[in-house]
Amino acid sequence: QMQLVESGGGLVQAGNSLRLSCTASGRTIGDFDMGWFRQAPGREREFVGVIRSNDDNTYYEDSVKGRFTFTRDDAKNTVYLQMNSLKPEDTALYVCAAKKKGFGVVTLRRGAMDYWGKGTLVTVSS
């Protein structure tokens, strides 16, 4: 089993930045591709992107491309989501998830992950 715990959420003004963390226990993130999802109030869960385990390759959805950056520190068993130029529409519960490596973005976007965190809330005020 793998437990994922997100942190770093909060209230921030539009245009500012925030960094989220996702720390794993029970398994090493080196064996997993680490994805981020978000869910805004009243909306369906949305795939944000993924950072791969093998080569730190990343994929971002268009809505966040150029503003969000994923990094990972395998020694700390933690992945990070740096969010810059935040917009009110980025307001959501941000959840990290782990998937055994070897699957494409289409699979990850569907939410077919192996482990999920509970999320951390980000609120962006205008």
Side-chain angles (χ1 to χ4, degrees), residues 24-115:
S25 60
R27 301 285 297 273
T28 174
I29 65 170
D31 294 331
F32 295 86
D33 293 336
M34 301 300 294
W36 286 91
F37 295 78
R38 66 185 182 183
Q39 187 165 17
R43 301 188 66 176
E44 291 188 356
R45 184 181 60 207
E46 175 189 14
F47 179 59
V48 177
V50 61
I51 181 167
R52 300 291 189 178
S53 62
N54 288 341
D55 54 6
D56 286 355
N57 192 24
T58 54
Y59 170 85
Y60 302 92
E61 291 287 86
D62 287 346
S63 57
V64 304
K65 194 177 296 181
R67 299 188 298 121
F68 288 13
T69 303
F70 306 132
T71 56
R72 58 192 296 153
D73 185 338
D74 286 11
K76 294 184 178 179
N77 227 24
T78 298
V79 295
Y80 303 97
L81 170 53
Q82 177 68 41
M83 305 185 293
N84 297 330
S85 302
L86 282 162
K87 305 175 182 180
E89 51 263 44
D90 294 319
T91 294
L93 181 71
Y94 283 75
V95 181
C96 75
K99 179 69 173 177
K100 288 291 279 185
K101 52 194 176 185
F103 293 87
V105 168
V106 171
T107 298
L108 303 182
R109 187 183 289 119
R110 289 194 290 113
M113 308 300 283
D114 297 319
Y115 301 102

